[in-house]
Amino acid sequence: MLSALGACSAPVADPVLKDPAQWPLAKLKRLPDDGELPEGADRVLARIKVGSHKLTAWIHPSGQCGLAGSSKDMEADWSMSSDMTRSSRDLMREEGFSGPLEPATTVSTESTFILVCTPTRMLITVKGQTSKPSVEGNASAQIYGGGLNAVVGPPEVRKESLPGATVTPGG
C-alpha cells in the first residue's frame, strides 16, 4: 500500500466522508439477496467467483464495507468488514490498482484475501486463485500473476482502477 507524503494528521474535512449515505458506494444498485445476507451486511453490491471461492461484496449504511466468502477448500464460511468512518487520515492506493489516493481502511484474512475500502470503491485481491473468474453486479476484475484483483464501484471507478479489466458482469 502506498501512502501519500504530506497527508497530515488533520481530520478529513470532506463532508462526504462524514456521511456514509453520500458515498458513491452507497448509491450503487443493490443485487438481489442470494439467500441470507452476510452478518453486518445491508446491501450486496457484487458477487465474485474465482477458482473455488465465491465472494460477496457488501456495505451497510453505517459506513461498514465487507467481504464474505465460501469455498470448497475452507471449513466454514467467513466474513470480514471494515468501518470506513474510521478510515486512516493518510491517503492510500492499494498496490496493483490505478486511481486517486483516498482515505482507506484495509482488512485481510489468511493472506489470501485483501479488502481495501474507500468511499468510492472496494478493492479486492484474491491470492492464489486464477481459474474461471466471473463477476456479477457492480464489479470488474482482472487476473494478475498469481491471483485476481477486483474493483467494486460505479463503472467509471472500475475503469479507472482496473483499466485492463477482462472480467466484467455478463462478459
Side-chain angles (χ1 to χ4, degrees):
M1 181 146 322
L2 302 174
S3 198
L5 296 176
C8 305
S9 60
V12 176
D14 187 344
V16 169
L17 294 179
K18 294 179 182 178
D19 183 4
Q22 297 301 311
W23 295 351
L25 282 178
K27 296 177 181 178
L28 291 174
K29 182 179 177 184
R30 75 173 57 211
L31 287 179
D33 295 340
D34 180 351
E36 201 172 301
L37 284 173
E39 185 175 332
D42 177 65
R43 303 175 59 190
V44 172
L45 298 180
R47 292 187 184 89
I48 301 161
K49 294 179 184 176
V50 61
S52 63
H53 300 297
K54 294 180 182 179
L55 309 173
T56 302
W58 58 267
I59 61 169
H60 190 279
S62 67
Q64 294 285 323
C65 119
L67 185 66
S70 65
S71 172
K72 295 175 187 172
D73 305 342
M74 302 173 90
E75 292 179 20
D77 293 352
W78 55 269
S79 185
M80 61 182 174
S81 65
S82 181
D83 183 349
M84 268 301 304
T85 64
R86 299 176 188 262
S87 67
S88 167
R89 292 180 180 139
D90 291 337
L91 303 178
M92 301 176 194
R93 177 184 326 124
E94 179 66 14
E95 186 177 337
F97 295 91
S98 301
L101 296 171
E102 296 183 277
T105 60
T106 303
V107 289
S108 64
T109 181
E110 299 178 20
S111 302
T112 302
F113 306 98
I114 300 170
L115 170 65
V116 178
C117 298
T118 79
T120 63
R121 66 200 80 209
M122 297 167 69
L123 308 170
I124 300 163
T125 298
V126 181
K127 296 182 179 179
Q129 296 283 322
T130 59
S131 64
K132 299 181 184 175
S134 67
V135 295
E136 176 186 352
N138 304 288
S140 295
Q142 158 181 331
I143 297 293
Y144 74 91
L148 179 90
N149 282 339
V151 176
V152 176
E156 61 277 4
V157 164
R158 297 191 317 250
K159 185 172 183 160
E160 177 182 55
S161 292
L162 279 180
T166 55
V167 183
T168 56

